[in-house]
């Protein structure tokens, strides 16, 4: 099992909000949802195979993919983004 320090460093490097901002300007509600899922997966590590970074990273990657699908469309990017982030919250 990975130490919390390793997980924190991995997440900081790969999946922090600044990384998501570099792809698209992030609505504050999406930022709040990112922090919510991060805390939820940390609290309920069994959702993430006892490593909260797995599902957190998956959710952020799903956000990036979902937002890319909205390019050139009239879809509400905030709704799509929040939905993508929350799709695995139990």
């Amino acid at each position: 099992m990975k130490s919390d320090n390793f997980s924190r460093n991995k997440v900081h490097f790969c999946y922090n909000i600044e990384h998501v901002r570099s792809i698209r300007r992030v609505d504050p509600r999406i930022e709040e949802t990112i922090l919510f899922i991060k805390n939820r997966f940390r609290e309920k590590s069994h959702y993430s195979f006892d490593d909260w970074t797995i599902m957190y990273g998956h959710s952020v990657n799903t956000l990036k993919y979902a937002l890319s699908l909205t390019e050139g469309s009239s879809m509400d990017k905030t709704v799509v983004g929040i939905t993508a982030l929350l799709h695995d919250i139990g």
Side-chain angles (χ1 to χ4, degrees), residues 8 21-22 66 70 86:
R8 249 196 314 267
R21 277 191 186 127
S22 70
T70 67
L86 295 176

Side-chain angles (χ1 to χ4, degrees), residues 1 4 48 51 57 86:
M1 187 149 99
D4 195 40
S48 297
D51 181 357
L86 295 176

Side-chain angles (χ1 to χ4, degrees), residues 58-88:
H58 163 72
S59 296
V60 172
N61 285 330
T62 302
L63 167 66
K64 292 187 293 187
Y65 179 66
L67 291 178
S68 74
L69 294 174
T70 67
E71 291 298 319
S73 77
S74 62
M75 289 187 276
D76 185 323
K77 293 165 180 45
T78 300
V79 171
V80 171
I82 291 172
T83 302
L85 287 167
L86 295 176
H87 80 277
D88 275 330

Side-chain angles (χ1 to χ4, degrees), residues 25-78:
R25 288 187 181 159
V26 178
D27 182 292
R29 293 169 289 184
I30 291 177
E31 289 186 38
E32 290 172 18
T33 306
I34 289 170
L35 293 174
F36 171 80
I37 65 163
K38 180 179 181 179
N39 290 330
R40 184 70 168 181
F41 287 133
R42 288 176 97 173
E43 291 168 3
K44 309 271 186 187
S45 63
H46 61 279
Y47 290 171
S48 297
F49 313 103
D50 292 324
D51 181 357
W52 68 272
T53 63
I54 293 170
M55 291 305 291
Y56 177 70
H58 163 72
S59 296
V60 172
N61 285 330
T62 302
L63 167 66
K64 292 187 293 187
Y65 179 66
L67 291 178
S68 74
L69 294 174
T70 67
E71 291 298 319
S73 77
S74 62
M75 289 187 276
D76 185 323
K77 293 165 180 45
T78 300

